Amino acid sequence: MPLKMSEIAAGIKEAAEFLKSGDCFCIVSHINPDGDTLGSAYALAGILESIGKQVQVRCASPIPPRYSYLAEGLKLSCTDPRQIVAVDIAGISLWGSLWEELGGRCDLLIDHHVSNERYAKLSVIDASASATAILMLELAEAMNVPLTKQIANAIFTGITTDTGCFRYSNTNAQTFEAGMILAQAGAETSMINKLMFETKTRAEMEIMRLALDSIEFHYEGRCAILTVTLDMREQAGYYDEDLGEIAALPRRVEGVQCGITIKQKSEDEFKISLRTVSGVNAYEIAGRFGGGGHARAAGCTLYGSLEEVREKIIEAVGDFLS
Ligand SMILES: [Mn+2]
């Protein structure tokens, strides 16, 4: 069954033409990679190799080992890329060092962030897609590439991680339809969900214990704030950059409209993750500090002491609560 005709069908078609005309591609994922940027990159790599193209996948941050199955069976033989494609990367700063290293240009950008800066020659942005990986499914269809198990696994990884296992409010009929198509194509859905959601290292469990201990409430419990400091990470032996699961914790508390996670990056640099409920726009809050993201999940970076940063973000959130 074909996917519902997307609003950006024309963009997908143009992207497909561009991909067919190239030969050696560098596919870039964002720094502190998550399942969607990596799943999308390796899905696209599989699609391109299926039609005889050479590909490499790059990310300026280390890729956590639990994602290693994504590349299974790929050749990844491109050494001197001529075409540069970004997946799930809303802005140039999220390329890390790769933007300059790759010559400061992007030929094709495929993304679903409403805050996307549209910095590429060809930008295909569908903010209604629950994950960038969904757009890879549309691309495979537009290019008549059959879904191998590797491609299906990679796309499923992107969708399930960005929707919190088909639970968040960005999950819609198209998400489930994609899930069905991928399951039919042989995606190992329970293996992937177990790896992404059920399997924790001891250090991850330890940092979660410390993080839960740090939760504070503001505005009569409508805002919950969780802090992960460098000290805590050292104590837990935890160095993974992707705090996706932890960032989802504060919003889980009953009555919380905005959950804030503050992650200390260095002495005076703090990464803020915002998770909100319907009616509170996360990317507008993040946008006030130069960040971006989605309506229910967004982020930004703040500088100063932990106390200053905490005060600044709590004050800003107050303007958005109902
Ligand atoms: Mn995404």
Side-chain angles (χ1 to χ4, degrees):
M1 195 198 298
L3 277 176
K4 179 174 96 271
M5 198 58 158
S6 136
E7 306 160 11
I8 51 130
I12 291 284
K13 221 172 143 196
E14 230 181 308
E17 290 311 315
F18 166 78
L19 293 169
K20 280 191 229 161
S21 71
D23 50 6
C24 193
F25 293 86
C26 177
I27 307 170
V28 184
S29 284
H30 63 69
I31 52 170
N32 307 329
D34 59 16
D36 191 26
T37 195
L38 294 172
S40 297
Y42 285 105
L44 183 54
I47 291 168
L48 289 170
E49 287 194 358
S50 293
I51 56 168
K53 310 291 187 185
Q54 289 194 307
V55 186
Q56 61 173 229
V57 173
R58 301 286 306 274
C59 179
S61 308
I63 297 178
R66 68 171 174 279
Y67 292 109
S68 59
Y69 68 92
L70 291 173
E72 252 165 46
L74 295 180
K75 295 196 204 80
L76 302 174
S77 60
C78 168
T79 50
D80 185 17
R82 275 177 287 274
Q83 288 84 29
I84 298 171
V85 183
V87 287
D88 200 47
I89 313 187
I92 286 167
S93 66
L94 299 170
W95 286 53
S97 57
L98 283 176
W99 178 255
E100 266 184 41
E101 192 184 318
L102 293 169
R105 72 161 224 270
C106 178
D107 298 307
L108 171 63
L109 163 65
I110 305 173
D111 188 27
H112 70 135
H113 290 91
V114 59
S115 58
N116 192 290
E117 292 166 10
R118 291 176 186 269
Y119 50 82
K121 280 184 204 146
L122 173 59
S123 297
V124 182
I125 319 289
D126 184 357
S128 74
S130 7
T132 297
I134 290 234
L135 305 176
M136 301 305 144
L137 191 52
E138 297 193 28
L139 258 182
E141 194 176 74
M143 295 169 77
N144 285 316
V145 171
L147 298 174
T148 61
K149 180 178 279 195
Q150 182 271 332
I151 297 172
N153 277 346
I155 296 176
F156 187 82
T157 299
I159 295 173
T160 197
T161 51
D162 257 26
T163 60
C165 207
F166 296 78
R167 283 179 302 146
Y168 298 156
S169 61
N170 60 346
T171 308
N172 53 38
Q174 188 198 30
T175 323
F176 287 109
E177 192 180 15
M180 180 193 77
I181 292 168
L182 296 167
Q184 283 170 342
E188 294 160 289
T189 58
S190 63
M191 178 277 282
I192 293 166
N193 283 333
K194 183 169 192 301
L195 261 181
M196 295 297 123
F197 299 103
E198 295 295 323
T199 311
K200 302 262 176 274
T201 62
R202 287 277 289 275
E204 282 170 318
M205 230 11 147
E206 194 57 40
I207 196 74
M208 206 169 264
R209 183 215 307 272
L210 296 170
L212 281 173
D213 232 8
S214 79
I215 290 193
E216 280 173 16
F217 296 92
H218 296 272
Y219 303 111
E220 297 88 39
R222 288 176 295 162
C223 168
I225 185 161
L226 174 156
T227 311
V228 176
T229 62
L230 290 176
D231 280 352
M232 288 160 69
R233 288 166 71 191
E234 195 176 333
Q235 195 187 329
Y238 178 86
Y239 294 101
D240 190 352
E241 288 300 313
D242 174 18
L243 275 182
E245 265 288 276
I246 286 176
L249 291 173
R251 187 182 54 188
R252 286 199 189 154
V253 182
E254 202 173 18
V256 168
Q257 297 175 7
C258 180
I260 307 170
T261 298
I262 299 183
K263 189 180 78 170
Q264 185 173 24
K265 301 275 288 180
S266 68
E267 201 49 55
D268 65 347
E269 183 184 353
F270 297 86
K271 187 173 180 285
I272 313 292
S273 297
L274 301 159
R275 298 289 183 273
T276 58
V277 300
S278 172
V280 182
N281 197 326
Y283 83 83
E284 278 181 18
I285 305 174
R288 205 181 261 197
F289 301 105
H294 308 282
R296 301 282 88 81
C300 57
T301 300
L302 291 179
Y303 299 86
S305 70
L306 175 58
E307 277 323 301
E308 285 163 1
V309 163
R310 201 199 306 258
E311 246 169 68
K312 232 189 266 181
I313 189 68
I314 290 170
E315 195 190 321
V317 164
D319 294 343
F320 291 86
L321 300 177
S322 56

